[in-house]
Amino acid sequence: MATKAKLRFVAIVDDDELMRSALEGLLQTAGMPAQAFASAEEFLESGQLQHTACLIADIRMPGMSGLELLAKLNAEHCFIPTVFITAHGDTKLRMQALRAGATECLAKPFKNEVLLSNVRAALED
Amino acid sequence: MTAMRSAAGIGLGYGLGLVSLGIALVLTHAFLYFQLPQPFTAFALCAIAITFWYGGTGPGILTALLSALIRTFFFQPGVDGLSRIAYDLVFVIFAVLMIQATRARNELEVRVAERTAALTRANQDLKIDIAERRSIEEKLRRSKSYLAEAQRVSHTGSFGWTLSSGRIYWSEETFRIFELDPATKPTIPLILERTHPEDRQLVQQTIDIAAEQRSDVDFEHRLLMPDGSVKHVRVVGHPSNSDGAADVEFVGAVMDISQTKRTEESLRRSENYLAAAESLAHMGSWVWEVPTRKVLYLSDEWYRIYGFDPRNGMVTWEERTERNHPEDRERWQATIDRAIHAKTGYDLEFRIVLPNGNVRHIHTIAHPVMNASGDMVRFIGSSADITERKAVEQSLRRSEAYLAEGQRLTKMGSWSANITTRQHLHWSEEHSRLYGFDPKAKLPTFEEISRRIHPEDRKSVLAKFEEGNRDGKDIEADYRVVLPDGTIKYMHTVGHPVLKSSGESGEFFGITRDVTQKRLYDQEIERLRQTQADLAHISRVTTMGELTASLAHEVNQPIAAAMTDANTCLTWLTRDHPDVKKAWEAASRVVKATTVAAEIISRIRSLFKKSVPESTAVDVNEVIREMTLLLRSEMMQHLISTRAELPRRAVWVMGDRVQLQQVFMNLMLNSIDAMKTASGRRELAIKAEPADNQHILVSVSDTGTGLPPNHLGQLFDAFFTTKREGTGMGLRISRSIIEAHGGRMWAAANSPRGAIFNFTLPIAEDAQG
């Protein structure tokens, strides 16, 4: 798994630049390679889907939302373990995300360890 | 007395005889003493002769007798009678001779005396003749002198001209007039030579005619002097004997009338000037005789003013009286009658009616002329056409009335005062009313006025006046006036220094306006503005309250990032081998994120804050970007995309930043609300572009449900809303804010669906830099 993880990277999709930078810095502490994208569309068009070991995405973004991205990946049989992060951390939205196939849905602000453990878990799946 | 003198003379004669005889005796005795021949007879004859010559005949005879006796008895006692007789005869004959000699002498004396008297008389007559002659000569000389002086003074010379000989006689003055040496011989060619070239022919002809016809001459001509000056002379001549005699002499006078000509010219010029002056001043002059009412003189201007033609001759009293305006005729007559009665002049304004119906206003001033006995004989005076002045006066009165009415209507009074001397020079009636003084009373004093100024304002107002006076600058002051009944008025006064030609200041002219109504209105406006601001604030706060979730999300984003970064930083630091560089990078991100969070909070707080609106330069683009960011979460929540089309350069407007943010917030939220339930693409577009050179046009469009078709006219009404929980104040407040910023707001339908809200704002050109 470690080899697998080293070969692939964790994709970060968030329209908020601050959060993208923070997540990149966080993953770096765990030794996880990461690549950030400002929107779902940018990620889909990046051609990096097959190298994506895990996806950390914001649910609410301009244009395509995180849920729509996940649905689109699923529809294209591109099953990437996904951890959602959202500032609107209500239960209803969390359930909606989990039902859509997300590994976890974390509310901002979240604890770094929780996110890292969820990413690790996603990568192990 | 004559008899006494005669007696005395006779006595002296006899005495002389005795004395001389006695002397003869003495001398004879002396001769005899010295034994000389006896000389008595000789001495006696001498005594007789002396006595006869000087004492007269009687004493002489007596002396002769006494001599004969003395000689006989003293010196020839022994002499015979013959000898004695011979001696006596000698004495007698001598006496007779002496009597004859004396008589002859007396006769000669008488004749000499008579001749002398005759000569004396003749001499006296001659003296008288000489004196008379001298007197006549003196008179003649004086007369000639007077004549010459008279000729000189009167510049009149005399001449004589004998036709036969051609000889011409000139007086000294004539020479002087012709400026020729008296030694010069006057001739006709000489006269012609001195004559002005233009007059030579006239003079020559006149002389020829006079010589031929021997008639009187009287003509004027000019002389051209050597120095180029011109003299005017009048020549008057008369033939001395024009009865056909061959030798005719013209006698006459040459008068230098240059001065008269100059005086005439000057007089004529003066008359022309006077006429021109009268014409310019529209003033005619006249003289009329009081007892007869006869008009003696009327100037040309008088004729013009009264509409008479001078060529028709003197205007009669009746004709002149008929020109009087019927309404003024009685007053005019009464004034003249009073003046005649009181023997004074008169000064009167009245109207006349010209034949064409035009009415003229006349101002006439008359001065009485009295004779020696004190009776009024004439009135001399002037009549000025003051029609234009009257029109100006009327216009001025009307202007003053309008000004006073204008001041009354605008509650504005004018004043003029010398601040240095603290004296008011002018107060309009309205100004008095503003201060509660009687407009008809005298000007109030500085102290009285000061007492009317509100005690709290008095010092500052006076200080402003003093300062303006000291610096020679305009005065402007707002203050309150307390009327006697306690009413308070707000005044605004401005004053401008009036500099005199001497440069002395102190005098100001100004106006004072009662701004009580405006002040109350301003206060009301301020109160309304404050209410609107409060309402806007409430609306803003309410709106912000509704946006709490979205705003929380906006704040949450950077905070979440900051927390992540902070923990990351700790992770790098708490490792066995802390990576300070990584930790520093993480900490930097924390700072950045928290700064963003602080900015968002500040932006939100400013919208919550209740502050006094202030006008600053605001970049519309920036406001749009700020509000788009602030509402980003709200829009994302409802899956609304935004599109902004903004000018590349900043667009500056003068306004209150928060209020303009509120406008954008209201419009954007309205659009978001309209699109919440709308199907299809949800897009909020914000566009800013120049409307013209002076305004920016901003439009906020959406693809929502659109405007309510039946209530388009009520969109901007207060409390009108189509939303279930709306207050109906959002658009009302937004439009008020835009209009307060000098702009305009309106709404229209968007195509193919939705609504567009447009507004304009004036561009602050100065702020654009």
Side-chain angles (χ1 to χ4, degrees), chain B residues 242-264:
Chain B
S242 58
D243 51 354
D247 196 11
V248 173
E249 183 181 14
F250 270 93
V251 178
V254 180
M255 288 166 272
D256 182 354
I257 56 171
S258 303
Q259 184 62 38
T260 309
K261 281 283 179 187
R262 279 196 291 273
T263 307
E264 281 177 5

Side-chain angles (χ1 to χ4, degrees), chain A residues 14-19 21-26 28-31 58 60-63 65 68 86-88 108-113, chain B residues 549-550 553 556-568 571-572 575 582 585 589 592-594 596 632-633 636-637 639 641:
Chain A
D14 199 317
D15 63 313
D16 184 10
E17 187 194 346
L18 292 171
M19 186 51 76
S21 301
L23 289 173
E24 279 182 306
L26 173 61
Q28 204 174 2
T29 61
D58 191 2
R60 192 174 294 168
M61 291 183 291
S65 70
E68 287 171 339
T86 178
H88 303 274
K108 294 178 187 176
F110 46 79
K111 288 187 176 175
N112 290 4
E113 294 76 21
Chain B
S550 297
H553 177 257
N556 201 27
Q557 287 278 69
I559 289 174
M563 281 186 66
T564 302
D565 285 325
N567 284 319
T568 302
T571 301
W572 289 117
R575 287 191 169 186
K582 297 284 184 189
E585 287 174 1
R589 288 198 298 275
K592 189 177 176 184
T594 51
V596 170
R632 187 181 56 174
S633 297
M636 282 194 296
Q637 186 182 347
L639 306 175
S641 62

Side-chain angles (χ1 to χ4, degrees), chain B residues 42-63:
Chain B
F43 287 144
L45 287 173
C46 288
I48 292 164
I50 290 170
T51 305
F52 265 105
W53 193 259
Y54 295 106
T57 305
I61 293 168
L62 177 64
T63 305

Side-chain angles (χ1 to χ4, degrees), chain B residues 623-635:
Chain B
V623 173
I624 292 171
R625 277 192 287 269
E626 282 176 352
M627 294 316 294
T628 306
L629 281 174
L630 202 64
L631 296 177
R632 187 181 56 174
S633 297
E634 185 71 11
M635 288 187 284

Side-chain angles (χ1 to χ4, degrees), chain B residues 214-234:
Chain B
R214 301 179 182 182
S215 56
D216 290 355
V217 291
D218 188 345
F219 67 104
E220 291 178 7
H221 68 93
R222 289 167 293 172
L223 300 178
L224 183 60
M225 296 296 120
D227 63 356
S229 63
V230 173
K231 280 184 179 177
H232 291 260
V233 294
R234 181 186 174 193

Side-chain angles (χ1 to χ4, degrees), chain B residues 41-211:
Chain B
T41 305
F43 287 144
L45 287 173
C46 288
I48 292 164
I50 290 170
T51 305
F52 265 105
W53 193 259
Y54 295 106
T57 305
I61 293 168
L62 177 64
T63 305
L65 287 174
L66 288 173
S67 297
L69 292 172
I70 292 170
R71 196 195 65 82
T72 303
F73 293 104
F74 289 100
F75 298 107
Q76 291 178 327
V79 178
D80 58 14
L82 188 58
S83 289
R84 197 180 58 216
I85 291 168
Y87 278 108
D88 289 341
L89 194 61
V90 169
F91 282 123
V92 170
I93 291 167
F94 189 75
V96 170
L97 286 173
M98 284 309 298
I99 288 168
Q100 286 302 321
T102 304
R103 187 176 295 157
R105 191 201 70 181
N106 288 341
E107 284 176 357
L108 182 61
E109 281 183 348
V110 168
R111 278 203 299 276
V112 167
E114 286 175 356
R115 182 66 181 162
T116 302
L119 285 173
T120 303
R121 279 198 300 274
N123 191 31
Q124 285 174 344
D125 290 344
L126 185 61
K127 282 181 178 174
I128 291 168
D129 285 346
I130 289 170
E132 284 179 351
R133 187 185 178 88
R134 281 181 179 168
S135 174
I136 289 166
E137 282 178 355
E138 177 64 21
K139 282 180 181 173
L140 187 60
R141 194 184 59 73
R142 199 177 295 135
S143 179
K144 282 182 74 178
S145 173
Y146 287 163
L147 179 62
E149 184 66 12
Q151 287 197 355
R152 197 181 64 76
V153 171
S154 64
H155 303 297
T156 304
S158 55
F159 70 88
W161 177 36
T162 308
L163 286 184
S164 58
S165 64
R167 184 171 164 273
I168 295 173
Y169 162 80
W170 275 4
S171 70
E172 283 183 17
E173 184 58 22
T174 308
F175 279 105
R176 202 159 23 240
I177 290 171
F178 277 78
E179 293 184 11
L180 289 169
D181 192 317
T184 312
K185 182 182 177 186
T187 60
I188 297 296
L190 187 63
I191 294 168
L192 289 172
E193 189 186 326
R194 267 286 190 267
T195 302
H196 194 285
E198 294 177 6
D199 296 347
R200 269 177 203 156
Q201 194 178 356
L202 166 74
V203 173
Q204 182 67 65
Q205 285 176 352
T206 307
I207 291 172
D208 292 345
I209 290 169

